[in-house]
Amino acid sequence: MIKKVLSALCILSAVAVVSAPVPVSAKTDLSVNVNLGAPPVVVEGPRVFVQEPPEMVVIPRSSVYFAPGMKVDLFFHNDWWWTRDSGRWYRSREPRGGWGLVAPNRVPREVIQVRPDYRDHYIRERHVPYGQLKKHWREREIERRERRGEWREEKHERKQHEKEMKRERKEDRRDDRDDRRDDRDDRRDDRNDRGRGHGRD
């Protein structure tokens, strides 16, 4: 539709210029403006070139892996490949391409929080061949979830114990109050009994 409109405008402009009588001394000015909206924003993908699948290194106490043999940041987390280039984050299902730009708030915290010197710091950690990466990741996720489940159970048990202790302390305080009230009542009764006893003699 837009092409047809542009073509028609060009033809009409050319016909108007050619068919119009132009005096020799007159100035001619032709201007055609067609506004089709804002220009598209073009974002280039990251400069990540992976010729063969990389060996990955596990970052301890996280579900993040990194490629030690790459000159760029290349991470694997939660079944996605992550990289950053010129301050932008990208992700893909495969390390060889198909990278899509990701908003900063959509990048997993664990990936963003990888320490800057991760290559030197974690290089001695376990290396995982690419062919075993997804299996290794899934096994670690299962273990992690189980540990999280155990931790939740322990936390629940600890809360239950704290509730019981709080209830027992509350009962103890109530018993102490009752005992003090009984003691007060007994002392008052004793005074009253002594006072009555003196009045009879």
Side-chain angles (χ1 to χ4, degrees):
M1 179 70 181
I2 293 173
K3 286 183 179 181
K4 288 181 182 179
V5 171
L6 287 175
S7 298
L9 283 174
C10 289
I11 292 170
L12 287 173
S13 300
V15 169
V17 169
V18 173
S19 64
V22 179
V24 177
S25 64
K27 276 187 166 178
T28 305
D29 192 15
L30 175 66
S31 177
V32 176
N33 289 322
V34 178
N35 186 358
L36 300 176
V41 176
V42 178
V43 178
E44 291 184 22
R47 291 168 286 211
V48 177
F49 301 103
V50 179
Q51 292 185 5
E52 59 183 64
E55 178 180 64
M56 301 299 284
V57 174
V58 179
I59 295 179
R61 294 174 301 283
S62 78
S63 57
V64 179
Y65 297 73
F66 74 93
M70 302 288 293
K71 292 182 181 179
V72 296
D73 295 325
L74 182 63
F75 303 105
F76 180 80
H77 175 271
N78 203 16
D79 215 13
W80 284 94
W81 292 88
W82 297 87
T83 189
R84 65 179 154 219
D85 186 31
S86 302
R88 293 185 177 126
W89 281 97
Y90 300 85
R91 76 177 184 177
S92 173
R93 286 290 183 187
E94 293 296 323
R96 293 186 180 180
W99 296 99
L101 182 65
V102 179
N105 62 342
R106 304 281 297 170
V107 180
R109 185 179 302 153
E110 278 188 306
V111 174
I112 290 174
Q113 291 178 343
V114 170
R115 55 189 294 162
D117 62 343
Y118 69 92
R119 290 178 194 279
D120 298 328
H121 192 77
Y122 298 122
I123 195 63
R124 287 195 171 88
E125 296 299 329
R126 180 168 181 203
H127 288 236
V128 179
Y130 175 78
Q132 298 173 10
L133 178 64
K134 291 197 177 185
K135 179 182 176 191
H136 187 267
W137 169 73
R138 284 189 186 102
E139 288 173 356
R140 287 186 75 219
E141 278 300 300
I142 290 169
E143 288 174 11
R144 206 170 142 179
R145 288 180 183 156
E146 287 173 355
R147 279 195 310 269
R148 236 185 279 158
E150 290 172 9
W151 176 78
R152 285 184 182 145
E153 287 175 13
E154 289 173 11
K155 185 178 177 182
H156 179 70
E157 289 173 5
R158 192 169 52 243
K159 280 188 175 182
Q160 291 292 37
H161 178 70
E162 288 172 2
K163 281 183 181 178
E164 288 175 20
M165 295 300 292
K166 190 175 180 179
R167 189 175 62 243
E168 287 177 11
R169 284 192 301 264
K170 192 175 181 179
E171 288 175 3
D172 287 345
R173 285 192 304 265
R174 188 179 326 128
D175 290 344
D176 288 345
R177 271 194 318 263
D178 291 345
D179 288 345
R180 285 193 303 268
R181 187 180 322 121
D182 290 344
D183 287 346
R184 252 189 341 261
D185 292 344
D186 288 345
R187 285 193 303 266
R188 188 181 59 225
D189 290 345
D190 286 346
R191 279 192 306 258
N192 290 340
D193 287 345
R194 274 187 261 138
R196 286 185 207 135
H198 288 293
R200 290 183 202 152
D201 291 339

